[in-house]
Amino acid sequence: MDQHLDTDQTLELHVKDGFIQSLSSENLSWFVDAIQGMILADRRVDEHELSFLREIISLLSDKEQAERLVAMIRERKQAELDYAGQMNRDIAFDILTILVKVALADSKLSSAEAVFFKQACRRLGYDNAFSRDMLVWAQKKLELESEYKRLKTVSGAIKDNFKRGPQTVLDAKQDLLDKGKRMEEKTLTAKNSSLRGKYVDCLVCKQPEIPFWILRKKSMRTQANIFGVSVYTSPVGDKDFCDYNLMQVAVCPKCCFASNDIHYFKGDDEMAEGFEPEKFAKEWLTTLPVRQKKRPDDLKSLNAEERSVEMSILSYDYAIMTFELLHKMDKQHESQLKIVGLQMIQAELLMNAGKRDAAEANLKKSAESLDSVFSYLEGESIFRSAALLCLIKMYFKDYAAVGQYMGFLKNYSSKEELDKTSMEYKVFTIANNRVDAAYSERESYGFDKLKSFHLS
């Protein structure tokens, strides 16, 4: 594979040396569908991708295909890739190489792009190991390019220092001291030794200095409830106890945007893939009065370090609303799965607070959501979702549905050969084992036998 993937020049030659013109009409149609699929994978088209798209369009001698590609991009209409395992291997590999180039056009490889690339590999008859190897190469390529840019920046900075002369050393030292003082003033210090705090800004309404609490690594022991939701049980060593499920969602006190993922806020971290704050804000802020009705009088209580159970449950309400709008806008299965994750944690809190009906309503909503997207999932996501569906259906004693999803897990290995060293195989095995263990004592998992979402 290395002989094909040495440099950017090799990638460009696949486009410029007559490769596209040499494709048969059938292969060209598949190629066009794959290109637009990769460009639309993360639901946005940036300038780098547009530049590459223009180059490909200019090389399409079949004007009908060129017009079809432009129309699909304009309409955000994603084509389904037909199975093309019979395609010549050299041609198939060259197409995949071009898809990698498209994915890396913006110097990032998003999870959505990686998922689409795996799908393209499967439709071309390649196995999971092959697609994983190509994605590993793509990631290494990004890391090398990033390191090159860093070294270039360092080189430029050194050159500038030589130009300015030695008298700038004291100025530079003072700049560092000033920067450190500013950072110290904005540091969020936790009383709980298992937590660390960080101030973030809302990307939607620009509200500054929102507390975001982060659990310190290896500070708490956990166990899973019957649905696999992590519950914090005891601290490690001399750390303080912290029920992080109460703390993990940050809420903007102004517009009530909420998430347990720091990448949806402005801080030192990179922003979440595909999140467009300005576009989101246009619709989110129109429904602000609905959220304000739930908002407490003491806005600081929304993100207090010692947040009450009531405020915590409210924070999940806001986070679920946030991702419901994100899902409405991006139509991505990942945002739907995010909603399910939030609902399942909130269900645990509701059950413990004696609000069983509300907790079980969350379970039903989660099952409905997973049912609706199940056929579109793959890899680790589909295994986790199948296991969760089994366990929720088992709780409500819907054993016909349990059998359906257990059957999927049992039969999957006969349809797809999984790499036994991969995370995908590990998740598949855990899902099977968890469901098997639960089914063997299914009566104990029924709603009529449980007072909480724990067996004991």
Side-chain angles (χ1 to χ4, degrees), residues 231-297:
V231 176
Y232 299 88
T233 57
S234 61
V236 174
D238 59 355
K239 294 290 185 183
D240 296 327
F241 175 76
C242 174
D243 184 352
Y244 189 58
N245 284 335
L246 298 174
M247 308 302 307
Q248 61 177 279
V249 175
V251 182
C252 171
K254 184 177 178 181
C255 74
C256 304
F257 178 89
S259 177
N260 57 352
D261 184 342
I262 199 169
H263 298 98
Y264 285 89
F265 294 93
K266 183 180 179 181
D268 297 332
D269 301 87
E270 187 177 336
M271 191 170 71
E273 286 285 349
F275 179 42
E276 301 176 68
E278 291 182 6
K279 181 179 177 182
F280 181 89
K282 288 179 182 178
E283 191 162 348
W284 180 253
L285 296 178
T286 63
T287 57
L288 180 57
V290 176
R291 294 185 296 279
Q292 285 179 324
K293 289 179 181 178
K294 292 186 169 187
R295 203 168 54 178
D297 294 332

Side-chain angles (χ1 to χ4, degrees), residues 292-310:
Q292 285 179 324
K293 289 179 181 178
K294 292 186 169 187
R295 203 168 54 178
D297 294 332
D298 180 9
L299 295 182
K300 289 185 178 180
S301 66
L302 275 172
N303 297 295
E305 182 180 347
E306 297 177 355
R307 181 190 269 162
S308 69
V309 174
E310 181 184 5

Side-chain angles (χ1 to χ4, degrees), residues 11 46 50 61 84 92 119 163 201 278 280 287 301 306 427 430 434 452:
L11 291 168
D46 62 29
L50 278 176
S61 55
Q119 179 189 350
K163 286 181 179 179
D201 299 345
E278 291 182 6
F280 181 89
T287 57
S301 66
E306 297 177 355
V427 172
I430 291 172
R434 177 172 289 163
S452 70

Side-chain angles (χ1 to χ4, degrees), residues 153-205:
T153 301
V154 171
S155 173
I158 292 172
K159 184 178 180 181
D160 288 343
N161 282 338
F162 278 128
K163 286 181 179 179
R164 288 187 303 212
Q167 71 276 11
T168 62
V169 171
L170 290 177
D171 294 335
K173 185 176 180 180
Q174 187 60 48
D175 286 345
L176 287 172
L177 289 172
D178 291 342
K179 183 177 180 182
K181 185 177 180 181
R182 289 195 300 272
M183 291 297 290
E184 186 177 351
E185 289 172 351
K186 296 192 73 174
T187 298
L188 178 60
T189 304
K191 296 177 183 177
N192 190 307
S193 61
S194 293
L195 286 174
R196 62 186 180 90
K198 186 174 185 179
Y199 282 116
V200 295
D201 299 345
C202 179
L203 288 163
V204 177
C205 71

